[in-house]
Structures are given as structure tokens and as C-alpha cells.
Amino acid sequence: MAFGGVLPLYSKRNGTWALRRLFRSREKVLILLVGLTFLFICIGPIFFLPDLRGGLSTRVDHVYKVYKQMQKAGPELILPPPPPQSGEEGAIRKHEGVYHNAVNHNDIHLSDDKQRLMEKINNDEEMRHLRVIEKPVVLTLSSTPPNKGNVVVGQVDESVKVQNPSGEALAGRREPEGKNVDKGPVPVVQGGEDSDPVARQRREKVKEMVLHAWRGYKTYAWGKNELRPVSKRGHTAGIFGRQDMGATIVDALDTLYIMGLTEEFNEGRAWVQYHLDFNQLRSEMSVFETNIRFVGGLLSAFSLTGDPLFRDRALHIARKLLPAFDTPTGIPYALINVANGIAKNYAWASGGSSILSEFGTLHLEFAYLSDISGDPVFREKVNRIRDVIRKAERPDGLYPNYMNPKTGKWGQRHTSIGALGDSFYEYLIKAYIQSGGTDEVAREMYEEAVGVITNRLVMKSHSGLTYLAESKFNRLEHKMDHLACFSGGMYALGAKRLQNQLASTHMEIAEGIANTCHESYARTPTGLGPESFRFTEGSEARALKSSEKYYILRPEAIETWFYMWRFTKDPKYREWAWGAVLALEKHCRAEAGYSGIQNVYMENPQKDDVQQSFIFAETFKYLYLIFSDDSLLSLDEWVFNTEAHPLPVYGANAYYRKAQETENQW
Ligand code: DMJ
């Protein structure tokens, strides 16, 4: 019979025996399998849905919770956790909510971490109930940018569409709204191709570099602060606190947007919407770095796109920083634990002083925050800092790098336009520019401060190189930090905007600094400049100590070449920038991104395995802009914060988007 080989034949005559005879072993296995499958279907849900007896909503909640945790643990389910590192990454590694105790299962931090994980889960639950999730802005095209020159708001460019929360498509980006919005010429924020084919090709190369760096970060460190592009894992520096706050994402947003990398921008935007949450922070972070990278990055993204998500996140984060300003003078502390509002200074900073380049680099972001929110608190904070700085008597007219936030007295007599001082000077001229030329106090302070620096610290080497020395207890140290290379751009910007009797001298100094910083690059076999360089009898523009020979993807030299290109149109600045591109490709490009190098004087330098977040915000952006047409982020309409995040100029930029109720405060 056709079925006889498969189906058993039951005989009533002698049941057991007959069954044993009738069922062959293959058939028995089959029956067993069918039975087990049936049992699994009936009983399985009891194991997967322990709250089965509860209502439907309990079950949905639980599934949601499991789903959220699975989603967060995604990479760890597929990839094994990286080996434990000594030092900053610690023995217990947190991977998006999953904690790996890499060394000791009895580590006391483990229970702490478990508790935080529970808090995180509960918090997620709370947020899910409380927050109305906004519909994300959807840019409809792929990452290929429009290849037709400048994108102009007001003209419908079909290739770049943004959807607003109600779903209607807007042209290019959101039109400014409100009666206080400046109606000026329409800012060019994408496109801006140069007419020179070589520049166009070079700009494409820079974009390719950005994509390489972004993809590495996305693959191996998504949501972490930074990427280790050689060992392919996340990295976090102390300035960001211990949690994963996606510093790279926030620092990269505006660069991705300007380059028309819409797909990547949208990935970043979604991460900001669903994951950027400073309520999660439990450790100290730098007030200055949080302001220039997070607040600045989000404010730029808001200005460029008009998307309120970015404005609201910037406000949320800036408010978290406010307890740091609760000092007798209003000069903020350097570090804050945003979970409990406890703030303090670095112990090494001149007896616990605050640092000039940190408390003096808040003005652009805070003034703008007040204007776009209508909340005056931010502007009040920075105006108070400015008052204290102005009134404190300066030794020999120089601003020392340290001030005690309790007494308002200056600390050690150390003045520098490099580390510890740099962006304080930068923000004076830029605050004046941002105000549309109305912030007279900022102008006066800039002219005075830079006047003294010019007289006392601007030097010429034996061979005629212009450099900026430092002053330590009234003695000159003939050393210039890579950080100080930004000052060429600052001098040039000041000269062009102030047009005072010192303008031509300042322009000369700017050219000199741009050249000296280039020399510091050109005098190395790598073509990249050291962290600091010195001027002595026998050596110029070279690092002398081994601790000064590294390069960590810093932008300052390129930044100055960018300003000089815009203001002079001398093609050498583009050539120097291109030289830096080639050097970055040769020595810093790693399989998963870009890394700093340990010694610029080696033919084959070791990589430091860190992709600093500022490579996106600054290095790549300035490179891209130097090979673009001047109309893209015009310097008449935009002012760059110290992390190269563009902020609109009041009165000259339609994207200023002042809140309706605020009046001009300058
Ligand atoms: C950036 O974070 C900012 O430019 C800051 O002002 C100092 N330098 C770093 C990059 O070098």
C-alpha cells in the first residue's frame, strides 16, 4: 500500500506488541517531533510572556521593555565586547545599557552599574509615557548631494526636501518664521561649488574622507563619544564624562548637512531625537567642551535647518550647565556633574582657579540661546562674566590664564594665546560680529586685549618667522602651541571687520602666523604640524620636547588658511590645505577612520588610535569650505564658534530666528 511505509497500522489484537511492531524507529522519531512542537506552541508563551495573566497593556509593556533592551544591546549580541582596557575606559565597560564586568565579578562598581541600568530602564519607561515623540525631519534624497551649484531657500529645489512635523514638504530647509526674524539675503548653506575644477575635485575628496570617518564611527562606535579607528571600538575622554553621549554625532551634524550628506545627517538627527539625553549623565563633564561641542553643534544644526528639536536639546543641555555658574563672582567652575549640580575646578589649575579660555568661551552660544528662546538667563550669565573680567585689574595689561571664581582675583601670571587662553580672545571679536556690529563692549575689549598681545607677545624669529610667544611670570617663553595657530584667522577677521588704523598691521600678522604654522608642518617628514613648536638660537618652528611632537587631527592651521583664502584669494592657502589632506591620507587614515599620530617627525609614525570628534566639526569643515565658493557659509552672514559651528550674524542672516518676545539686548 502506498501509505504503509509511513503511517502506523494499529491492531486491537495485541496493542503494545502490535504498536512496537507497527512503528518503525523512523516513525517514532517523527511522532515525537510532532508532539514536541505541539507542546512548545501551547506552553511556550508562558515562558516568553511571564505577565500572561496580566492585562494586554502589561504584556505590551513587557515586550516593549525587552525590545528596547535588545535594541540597545544590539551590537553586543552580535559582536563580542572588546577586551578590557586599563585607564580611562575602566574595568567595567558599559555598552548601550549592557554592562560587562571585564575583570572582577565582585567589583563594587558592578552593583552601582546594575542600579544605573535599572534607573535607565525605568527612565526609558517614564520618558515613553511622558514624551510626545516628534516626527523626525525626513530629507528625501540619498546622500548624493545636488550637483547644481547653490541651493537657495525660496526657490524650490526638488532634490533636497525637508518634511516638517505636519508632513508637508518644505523647500530645502525651513523658512525663518516670526516677526523678529531678519529678512536679509538668503543664506547659502549647501552646494556652493567652486568654479575651479581642481577645487571641485579636492572638495569631493574631502567629502569622501568624511564618509570614511563617519562609516567607521557608525560601524564600531555608534553612540559612543568617539571612535578608536585602529582597534575599532568606542573611546571617551574625561571631558565628556563617563557616559556615551554621542559627542561625534553632535559635532558632525552641521558638517554633514552642509556637505549635503542627507542620509548621514538623518542618522545623526534620529540619534539626537531618541538617544541624546543628558538626564542619563552621572559623572562630571567639562562645561566648556559641552558648550562648544554639544550646545554649539545643536545650535548650528538649528540655525541651518530650523528644526526645533535641535534648539530644544541645546536649551536642555545649557540649562544643565547653569549650576556651575553659582559662584560668588559668577565665573563658572570648569567641571559639573549634571546629575546633582555639583561643580568644581581642576586641582592643577593655579590653586583651583577657573580657566580663561573656558569661562571666556561661552558668549556666542549663550547670547544666541537667550535670543532664540526668549529666556534671558543665558545672556545674563555671560554678561556677568564679562563684567568681572573687565573690572579685574590686569598685570601689565595682559589677561592671565586663571581666575579664582570665589574672589575674582587672577591666578598665576601666565598669558597665552595658545592653550588656556586662546578662544577668550577669539570670542571677543566674534561676539562683536555676531551682534551685527552693535556689541561695542566686545569690540573695545578685543582691541585692547589684542593690542597688548601684539605689543608684547608677537615676535619675529631670526629668519623672519612671525610667532606668538607666551608670558610666564613676566618672562617670555618662545613657544607656540598648535592651538595658537587659530590666531592668524582671528587677526584677519578682526582686521577685515573693524577696519581700524591697525587693520593692515593685523593683516600682516595674520599672514605671518599662517606662514609660520605652515612652516611647522613643512619642517616635518609627515607634513603635519606638532602640538607645540619653539624658537631658539638653533631651531625654528620645531618641537623640541618629545611630549610636544604629536598631532591629534587639530584644525587650527587649516582654520587660519581658510580665513586667509577667503580674505586674500592667494592660491597658496588652498595648496597648503591640500598638502594637509594628502598628509592626513598618508599618515592618519586607518581602516575605520582617522587617527592622530604620536610623532610628526617620524617617517612612519605610530597612530594614537583616537578619532577626535572635532575632526568632523572643524578639520573637515574648514577643508571643505576652503575648496568651496565663498558664498557657502558667507563670513558676512555666519560666525563660527570655536568648534567651527556656524552661528548666524544678527541683522545679516535670515536664519537668526529670534524668539518673538526678545528685543535686541546688545
Ligand atoms: C577644539 O575643540 C576647539 O577649537 C577649542 O577651542 C580648542 N581646540 C580644539 C581642537 O584643537
Side-chain angles (χ1 to χ4, degrees), residues 446-477:
Y446 174 78
E447 286 184 332
E448 215 184 337
V450 170
V452 182
I453 296 270
T454 307
N455 291 338
R456 298 175 61 99
L457 302 183
V458 174
M459 303 280 143
K460 276 257 190 244
S461 74
H462 295 301
S463 73
L465 295 180
T466 302
Y467 65 96
L468 275 152
E470 299 191 5
S471 166
K472 283 188 175 161
F473 300 103
N474 258 335
R475 291 176 56 130
L476 287 184
E477 190 179 14

Side-chain angles (χ1 to χ4, degrees), residues 288 292-293 483 554-556 614 618 642-643:
F288 160 77
I292 66 169
R293 302 193 200 208
L483 288 167
R554 287 199 191 279
E556 291 79 12
F614 54 67
E618 301 187 78
T642 192
E643 188 80 356

Side-chain angles (χ1 to χ4, degrees), residues 1-24 27 31:
M1 187 167 160
F3 299 115
V6 180
L7 298 172
L9 297 173
Y10 185 73
S11 159
K12 273 186 184 167
R13 239 185 323 134
N14 186 345
T16 327
W17 176 86
L19 263 178
R20 214 181 293 141
R21 288 205 51 198
L22 283 171
F23 290 29
R24 284 190 235 131
E27 292 154 358
I31 291 170

